[in-house]
Amino acid sequence: SKGSQKGDEEKGDSETAGPKVNYVPPPPPEEEDTIFHQYATGINFDKYDDILVDVSGSDPPKAIMTFEEARLCETLNRNVARSGYVKPTPVQKHGIPIISAGRDLMACAQTGSGKTAAFLLPILQRLMNDGAAASKFSEVQEPEVIIVAPTRELINQIYLEARKFAYGTCVRPVVVYGGTSTGFTIREVLKGCNVLCGTPGRLLDVIGRGKVGLSKVLYLVLDEADRMLDMGFEPDMRKLVNSPGMPPKEERQTLMFSATYPEDIQRLAADFLKVDYLFLAVGV
Ligand code: ADP
């Protein structure tokens, strides 16, 4: 399926060749079914209303109760509805307004609680407000968003959600992970990249090759931070935040997610997040 996906994207590119460099038309309709393909989650979202939520830190914004309150643009709202999302999960109710308010966040929530949309929606809304569009075929891509997750499966899930929510917008998500050819990875990145999703090693690799500049990074998202530590990625995470061009924590928004909150994660949060970050615990 990799091959056909690549084919579709190349078709999209040739259609856009022309003087309006930044204009990216919506993908052709036949891709839509693939992008919004539903897979059963086995999650009972109604049960989520009983889940305990704890927010700590100074001056947290009020939680939202509906997606309308998230004040997303029409395209994002349409993609949320097309994804079958009717009401926000607890991590979305609290996380979306925290991120929209520009606050750093350390969130403890289980896999499957809806973390991905909780960070993608406010981030994509900001990019839409800013009028972000990947500069196509530029020799160095300067993404506004870097998302890191420990495994190929996890980062690919995040990428697929990003592609779904960004459908019909000019925002281009790209995913990079080990095990695919570096040439393919680089070509995908150079086609245009606003939201760069990757596993730690491959991310550092594309950055180290000078293909990705970090100076425009607005958001750094570290998902499943506890698993990243378990898998020995702490040096890579530290290398990433200290990479040349990466804005210091005061000048970027950093969002960390973890199922557990042991001491080493608390230390990482203290190092990577602004002092006034909010701590959100969902059902733990
Ligand atoms: P996490 O990132 O916490 O592991 P996901 O964001 O992947 O969880 O959500 C798990 C599944 O639930 C996904 O298939 C996702 O599309 C779906 N989902 C997330 N939020 C909602 C919602 N508000 N309504 C319906 N489905 C949702």
Side-chain angles (χ1 to χ4, degrees):
S1 73
K2 259 270 136 52
S4 71
Q5 182 186 329
K6 187 168 170 264
D8 288 345
E9 281 170 22
E10 274 169 2
K11 190 165 115 224
D13 284 341
S14 64
E15 280 166 5
T16 65
K20 280 171 133 188
V21 203
N22 278 335
Y23 177 71
V24 186
E30 58 267 24
E31 244 190 74
E32 215 176 311
D33 290 342
T34 327
I35 288 173
F36 289 94
H37 174 74
Q38 298 292 313
Y39 30 94
T41 62
I43 298 165
N44 179 357
F45 285 99
D46 288 326
K47 225 182 66 196
Y48 265 142
D49 288 335
D50 309 327
I51 277 173
L52 283 177
V53 177
D54 180 57
V55 185
S56 44
S58 67
D59 201 18
K62 202 169 155 287
I64 55 167
M65 296 308 288
T66 64
F67 280 115
E68 291 78 74
E69 287 176 73
R71 302 182 151 277
L72 304 171
C73 68
E74 212 183 300
T75 311
L76 288 181
N77 271 329
R78 202 175 51 226
N79 292 339
V80 167
R82 262 194 251 179
S83 302
Y85 291 23
V86 176
K87 60 181 193 176
T89 67
V91 73
Q92 292 162 1
K93 287 177 180 170
H94 292 268
I96 289 173
I98 288 172
I99 298 165
S100 298
R103 301 291 296 273
D104 279 4
L105 174 66
M106 172 73 234
C108 289
Q110 300 298 323
T111 302
S113 56
K115 288 175 287 157
T116 310
F119 63 81
L120 283 176
L121 293 174
I123 289 176
L124 290 172
Q125 183 54 46
R126 163 80 191 269
L127 298 193
M128 295 297 286
N129 284 345
D130 290 1
S135 69
K136 309 199 92 203
F137 305 111
S138 162
E139 272 310 301
V140 179
Q141 289 291 324
E142 299 190 292
E144 290 88 354
V145 187
I146 303 275
I147 302 173
V148 195
T151 67
R152 197 186 299 197
E153 289 71 27
L154 279 166
I155 202 62
N156 209 42
Q157 265 173 38
I158 295 171
Y159 164 71
L160 290 175
E161 291 283 294
R163 195 176 70 152
K164 200 168 74 173
F165 291 129
Y167 181 80
T169 75
C170 294
V171 172
R172 189 175 134 90
V174 176
V175 66
V176 305
Y177 43 73
T180 50
S181 90
T182 310
F184 175 78
T185 298
I186 302 285
R187 277 196 301 279
E188 283 301 309
V189 168
L190 293 186
K191 281 184 193 169
C193 175
N194 298 105
V195 179
L196 179 58
C197 309
T199 46
R202 186 52 70 101
L203 266 180
L204 288 174
D205 182 48
V206 287
I207 293 165
R209 286 167 191 270
K211 302 300 181 188
V212 169
L214 298 173
S215 62
K216 297 219 174 102
V217 169
L218 299 170
Y219 296 96
L220 174 64
V221 182
L222 304 171
D223 197 19
E224 309 241 349
D226 48 358
R227 274 184 76 190
M228 291 212 269
L229 289 185
D230 292 344
M231 292 172 71
F233 286 134
E234 178 163 0
D236 281 354
M237 282 193 275
R238 292 195 178 277
K239 202 169 162 195
L240 178 66
V241 297
N242 293 313
S243 287
M246 174 64 85
K249 61 182 177 182
E250 292 77 17
E251 287 162 32
R252 61 167 199 255
Q253 202 175 334
T254 309
L255 314 170
M256 278 178 65
F257 295 85
S258 182
T260 59
Y261 198 51
E263 239 169 68
D264 47 3
I265 295 290
Q266 296 172 37
R267 211 180 50 224
L268 220 55
D271 290 347
F272 292 172
L273 305 176
K274 295 184 195 92
V275 277
D276 69 341
Y277 74 85
L278 291 171
F279 178 83
L280 171 62
V282 176
V284 286

